[in-house]
Amino acid sequence: YRKFLLTRGETELFVRLPESSSELRFYAPDELATQLRNALDFIAHSEDELEEACAYFRKEYGVSLKHLVPVAEPSQLSRCLLLHVEPGERYGQCFQWDHDGAWELEQNQSSFDVALKALTDGIEQRDATQLAFFDL
């Protein structure tokens, strides 16, 4: 993600289809901590619930909830692309997350670059799963 920001800067990915459009906004580095706190606050409403959620994410997905940093969001949607930044074998994995399934991670990808390619290839191929991330 750092490399992406260094080469692209603060940017958006515009998705325009004949019948609709959307955009994916990438967060600036100074927004990441706030976005992480917002996601944690949404997922868990208390310290006890946060500990329960952390245990669930570790068991179910093998990742640390407190290290899943939102790096991009489609406009006008409560979804985001999460980057796992905990050191270890799952460092750098990316997931899609939606507030409707707050304890669910989708589209596990091995890295930010792979996740971004899956999204852009999915848009190009009109893949329903990838387009659903944008509510298209």
Side-chain angles (χ1 to χ4, degrees):
Y1 189 65
R2 285 186 207 129
K3 183 176 82 176
F4 174 83
L5 289 175
L6 286 172
T7 58
R8 308 261 183 191
E10 292 179 37
T11 190
E12 296 174 345
L13 170 66
F14 291 98
V15 182
R16 290 197 167 95
L17 301 177
E19 63 280 357
S20 59
S21 64
S22 184
E23 62 190 53
L24 183 64
R25 179 179 169 267
F26 297 92
Y27 296 126
D30 62 349
E31 296 177 276
L32 298 177
T34 299
Q35 293 303 325
L36 174 58
R37 184 75 250 159
N38 291 343
L40 291 175
D41 287 346
F42 186 87
I43 292 168
H45 303 295
S46 68
E47 193 59 38
D48 288 341
E49 192 174 11
L50 179 59
E51 291 309 313
E52 181 183 346
C54 287
Y56 175 83
F57 276 75
R58 179 69 71 193
K59 181 181 178 204
E60 189 69 23
Y61 303 107
V63 296
S64 167
L65 175 60
K66 293 180 180 181
H67 290 90
L68 285 170
V69 179
V71 295
E73 71 174 345
S75 64
Q76 308 301 316
L77 299 173
S78 295
R79 297 181 180 142
C80 59
L81 188 62
L82 300 172
L83 178 64
H84 188 242
V85 297
E86 180 185 43
E89 74 176 54
R90 297 190 190 272
Y91 177 83
Q93 287 185 336
C94 272
F95 303 87
Q96 292 178 11
W97 177 85
D98 187 323
H99 76 287
D100 287 338
W103 287 34
E104 297 174 22
L105 298 177
E106 299 175 345
Q107 302 295 316
N108 180 6
Q109 301 292 340
S110 61
S111 70
F112 172 78
D113 290 338
V114 171
L116 189 57
K117 182 165 178 25
L119 278 172
T120 55
D121 286 354
I123 294 164
E124 184 178 322
Q125 298 164 6
R126 306 294 195 263
D127 177 72
T129 301
Q130 296 301 337
L131 291 175
F133 183 65
F134 297 96
D135 203 26
L136 298 174

